[in-house]
Amino acid sequence: MFFLNTLWLVLLGPTLGALINGLWPAKYRGRLGHGVLACAGAGLSFLIAIIQHIALSISSETIVRHGYFTWIEAGNLTIEFALRLDPLSSVMCLVVAGVGFLIHVYSLGYMAEDRAYVRFFTYMNMFLAAMLLLVTASNLPLMFVGWEGVGLCSYLLIGFWHRKNSASTAGFKAFAVNRIGDAGFLIATFWCWKVFGTLEFHEMFARIGEASAADIRWITLLLFVGATGKSAQIPLYVWLPDAMEGPTPVSALIHAATMVTAGVYMIVRMNPLFHQPESVSVLIAWIGALTAIFSATIAIGQRDIKRVLAYSTVSQLGYMFLAVGIGAYVAAIFHLVTHAFFKACLFLGSGSVIHACHEEQDIMNMGGLKAKMKTTHWTFLVSTLAIAGVFPLAGFFSKDEILAYSFESSQALYIIGLAAAIMTAFYMGRLLFLTFYGGRRMNDEKWEKVHESPRTMTFALVVLGVLAVFGGLLGLPKNLGLPHVLYGYLEPLLPKVHGEHHMSAAVELGLMALSLALALGGLGVAASLFRRRGAEGEERLRGVLGPVHGALENKWYVDELYNTLIVSPLSKLARIVSDWFDPGIIDGAVHAIAGAVGLGSERQTRTQTGRIRDYVLVILTGTFLLVLCLVVLGR
């Protein structure tokens, strides 16, 4: 089929949009034209992704790969620019392009008054193109290009309002922390080349038997280091909350559909390695579980509407890593998909609130917005219920699937996951009720100006809200006879690493009922504290938690700890190098060599007397010494 032979078409729209917006002067098209062009590019990718998904579904092939040209050739290393379409990359393209398109449409209204409107949409299209390249790459080096591309775009977009010191600092922090993870990814790539002699996914997987236990252990560990950076897991999660300094559509794009899901996707893509007994899958599961509960505790103490959602993202990513760590790869992708729906809706909803409240982000200064922002309220409400795991919304199915597999794998992991789920319901209920319910806590002047967002913004909210309600249908068991639901679609690619549950139906229903009851309990406690009482409820929470509440507000002082143990010593070392070692040793050595050459040259000029007898004397002396050497050596 044509669309299976031209996989590059999915990259075409956002790539052209970025090039045209970046190079074509605005005077020929106007501000609106730039935004419409960027949306058209994202929409074209989504349309192509749908067509390719249908073509792959009706095709007899499970994996389609096309190499377009030789990209790198050095010795016996040959790397093609090759793209791969299979059920996993097809699902990712649909999520990335679909949610990305809605965020682009939302941005038409949100960024309408920003003076850097054109630059924003150029970066957004670049971001989308890089992520699509990452998920369709057929080999590790090409995946790394997309991996670094989303890293670069995140730096540009987080620090988009670079005149704010906090924004530029946050962008640099994201870039620096991700370099740690990227170093692990790069070393793992070199190691794969050493062991397998190839970097193509299908060829590496066919040669896994050639790798020793130590090779598997170190390659998977280094790849996981890369994933912890990109997908914000302990200990490299600290960049993600600060990423809130960028425009809200950027937060939605990073947190919901693109950058932070890259680590989860990479591990699932490399599942034949990670499913080996010698891999670090147990470590991955525990890091994911601990990240889920640790970041959930921090979210309870935050007042910035976007930071609550940021720590929520870190927590939900922890669930995905818990799933891949125990081998539930399809469950991880299922939660990735549903999370993209409700988290994009929540972030865009928070942007709608910030837009309406004139850049106010402190939820303690809001309240009562339900009356003036009905569409935003209802979409935020259903997405809150979805992430809390309330039946029958999307998050209930995907999160319950992970918890069920955790119960079968490890009771300890299950208990941690369940505790994080309760906290999720509580802090999301707190966010919902403090923002939209109770009495207003802003002054009259601001309250009078509060209004619902324009249609370009509410359109995206409504579509994502509907997906947050019905997205769980994608994960229904294949035995119900529905065509191409997620499990039936992905199982041909992951046949040996994702089995059915071994528990009885009664136990499974009991676990579902328990998780639902706890989710409703967490929401109920939040409602009792914050639905009517607002600030009074927050004070009661502070009183119950005592000094722990201060620690939660300050994010367990992790940033301060990193600053004391890592950033400050490295800064001092850098100052020593720049103030003493560099000028004294490095520059001193260079100056000494230059001085010696200059001195030698100055001495040498004294031999240039211009008198023939002096030159003849030098020649004769040199000839005598040469003959003497030959005579001595001849003996």
Side-chain angles (χ1 to χ4, degrees):
M1 294 184 181
F2 172 76
F3 284 98
L4 292 183
N5 295 325
T6 51
L7 302 182
W8 56 269
L9 284 175
V10 77
L11 307 174
L12 182 64
T15 303
L16 285 179
L19 288 173
I20 296 173
N21 272 336
L23 300 176
W24 194 3
K27 64 181 180 180
Y28 295 118
R29 191 166 56 258
R31 285 167 58 87
L32 180 61
H34 282 278
V36 171
L37 176 64
C39 292
L44 176 62
S45 276
F46 183 45
L47 178 62
I48 296 297
I50 293 173
I51 296 173
Q52 289 181 345
H53 172 79
I54 295 172
L56 186 66
S57 299
I58 63 178
S59 170
S60 60
E61 300 177 84
T62 302
I63 300 173
V64 179
R65 179 192 176 277
H66 284 287
Y68 295 99
F69 56 87
T70 299
W71 174 35
I72 298 173
E73 191 168 12
N76 59 349
L77 171 65
T78 300
I79 299 173
E80 286 188 301
F81 185 94
L83 301 180
R84 170 187 174 116
L85 185 70
D86 57 29
L88 177 59
S89 58
S90 177
V91 168
M92 290 299 296
C93 284
L94 288 170
V95 173
V96 170
V99 176
F101 169 66
L102 291 173
I103 294 171
H104 275 69
V105 173
Y106 176 95
S107 301
L108 290 174
Y110 191 87
M111 299 297 292
E113 304 302 322
D114 196 282
R115 60 182 180 179
Y117 185 85
V118 178
R119 177 164 60 91
F120 173 83
F121 278 105
T122 301
Y123 292 166
M124 290 283 279
N125 269 184
M126 287 171 55
F127 207 145
L128 201 58
M131 188 64 191
L132 288 169
L133 177 62
L134 188 156
V135 300
T136 55
S138 179
N139 53 62
L140 277 173
L142 193 58
M143 176 185 277
F144 189 70
V145 172
W147 189 274
E148 290 298 287
V150 295
L152 170 63
C153 293
S154 70
Y155 167 74
L156 296 172
L157 285 166
I158 293 169
F160 180 77
W161 288 316
H162 54 83
R163 291 176 178 82
K164 290 169 55 181
N165 183 62
S166 58
S168 59
T169 301
F172 175 77
K173 184 176 182 180
F175 196 79
V177 172
N178 272 277
R179 296 294 69 74
I180 300 171
D182 295 350
F185 189 113
L186 201 55
I187 296 171
T189 301
F190 296 149
W191 205 310
C192 285
W193 166 248
K194 171 181 173 291
V195 173
F196 303 114
T198 181
L199 294 171
E200 288 289 333
F201 293 134
H202 64 285
E203 294 177 359
M204 283 194 297
F205 300 157
R207 301 177 188 177
I208 284 181
E210 301 175 12
S212 67
D215 291 328
I216 295 292
R217 187 175 301 111
W218 281 105
I219 289 172
T220 54
L221 177 62
L222 290 165
L223 287 173
F224 178 52
V225 169
T228 58
K230 199 65 72 181
S231 294
Q233 297 295 286
I234 291 173
L236 300 181
Y237 73 92
V238 291
W239 68 270
L240 193 58
D242 288 358
M244 298 304 95
E245 292 292 339
T248 300
V250 173
S251 304
L253 195 61
I254 291 176
H255 285 248
T258 57
M259 182 171 172
V260 296
T261 63
V264 178
Y265 167 77
M266 181 266 287
I267 292 179
V268 176
R269 168 60 69 203
M270 303 294 287
N271 72 82
L273 280 172
F274 282 92
H275 203 63
Q276 297 298 309
E278 302 84 3
S279 74
V280 295
S281 57
V282 174
L283 174 65
I284 295 173
W286 276 99
I287 290 293
L290 293 175
T291 301
I293 193 166
F294 181 74
S295 52
T297 62
I298 298 176
I300 293 172
Q302 301 304 299
R303 295 173 50 147
D304 186 310
I305 186 172
K306 288 172 66 177
R307 282 187 180 269
V308 175
L309 296 176
Y311 281 106
S312 169
T313 297
V314 178
S315 181
Q316 298 305 306
L317 288 167
Y319 276 106
M320 298 175 208
F321 278 93
L322 168 59
V324 296
I326 60 179
Y329 300 107
V330 180
I333 295 299
F334 182 25
H335 196 55
L336 185 154
V337 172
T338 60
H339 177 263
F341 298 154
F342 54 69
K343 185 51 63 69
C345 188
L346 288 168
F347 263 112
L348 297 185
S350 71
S352 181
V353 169
I354 294 168
H355 184 268
C357 297
H358 306 281
E359 306 310 312
E360 178 62 67
Q361 294 186 206
D362 189 341
I363 57 177
M364 300 309 300
N365 295 330
M366 297 178 186
L369 294 179
K370 173 186 175 183
K372 289 202 170 188
M373 304 183 70
K374 297 186 184 304
T375 302
T376 300
H377 161 255
W378 283 111
T379 55
F380 204 95
L381 172 63
V382 297
S383 297
T384 297
L385 296 177
I387 194 174
V390 173
F391 180 84
L393 280 71
F396 168 80
F397 293 100
S398 59
K399 189 182 294 185
D400 183 74
E401 192 74 10
I402 294 173
L403 289 174
Y405 279 104
S406 300
F407 181 81
E408 290 184 306
S409 175
S410 166
Q411 300 292 313
L413 290 174
Y414 172 74
I415 291 171
I416 294 174
L418 202 61
I422 300 169
M423 293 182 188
T424 300
F426 176 75
Y427 69 67
M428 287 305 303
R430 170 179 174 268
L431 178 64
L432 173 72
F433 296 125
L434 285 177
T435 302
F436 291 99
Y437 291 82
R440 61 184 176 93
R441 295 182 297 279
M442 63 179 68
N443 60 46
D444 293 338
E445 183 180 354
K446 282 188 175 183
W447 178 255
E448 291 301 322
K449 295 179 180 179
V450 172
H451 56 85
E452 184 59 276
S453 298
R455 290 184 179 179
T456 53
M457 296 170 64
T458 56
F459 166 77
L461 291 174
V462 170
V463 174
L464 289 167
V466 171
L467 291 172
V469 174
F470 297 106
L473 298 177
L474 293 171
L476 292 178
K478 62 181 181 180
N479 55 18
L480 293 184
L482 297 177
H484 299 301
V485 292
L486 197 60
Y487 281 84
Y489 188 59
L490 289 177
E491 276 180 347
L493 190 67
L494 308 170
K496 298 178 181 178
V497 296
H498 195 288
E500 303 294 337
H501 290 306
H502 300 295
M503 66 181 72
S504 66
V507 172
E508 190 167 1
L509 287 173
L511 294 177
M512 293 172 63
L514 176 61
S515 62
L516 177 59
L518 293 176
L520 293 174
L523 288 169
V525 172
S528 66
L529 280 174
F530 306 111
R531 189 174 185 275
R532 297 185 182 279
R533 299 176 181 180
E536 181 186 341
E538 185 69 11
E539 288 303 315
R540 286 191 62 185
L541 177 65
R542 187 184 300 272
V544 169
L545 295 178
V548 174
H549 192 278
L552 299 182
E553 282 185 314
N554 290 281
K555 303 161 285 186
W556 293 112
Y557 302 100
V558 172
D559 284 328
E560 289 79 4
L561 181 65
Y562 279 14
N563 186 66
T564 302
L565 298 181
I566 300 174
V567 177
S568 183
L570 287 177
S571 298
K572 290 178 181 177
L573 178 61
R575 281 194 293 272
I576 291 172
V577 170
S578 63
D579 295 344
W580 176 76
F581 185 80
D582 193 34
I585 305 300
I586 304 299
D587 290 349
V590 173
H591 294 326
I593 294 171
V597 172
L599 181 62
S601 300
E602 190 273 330
R603 297 289 185 185
Q604 186 67 21
T605 59
R606 297 181 183 180
T607 66
Q608 306 301 312
T609 63
R611 294 194 291 266
I612 294 178
R613 64 175 181 270
D614 294 338
Y615 298 154
V616 171
L617 177 62
V618 171
I619 293 171
L620 290 175
T621 302
T623 303
F624 172 75
L625 294 173
L626 180 60
V627 171
L628 181 62
C629 288
L630 291 173
V631 170
V632 172
L633 292 174
R635 289 182 180 179

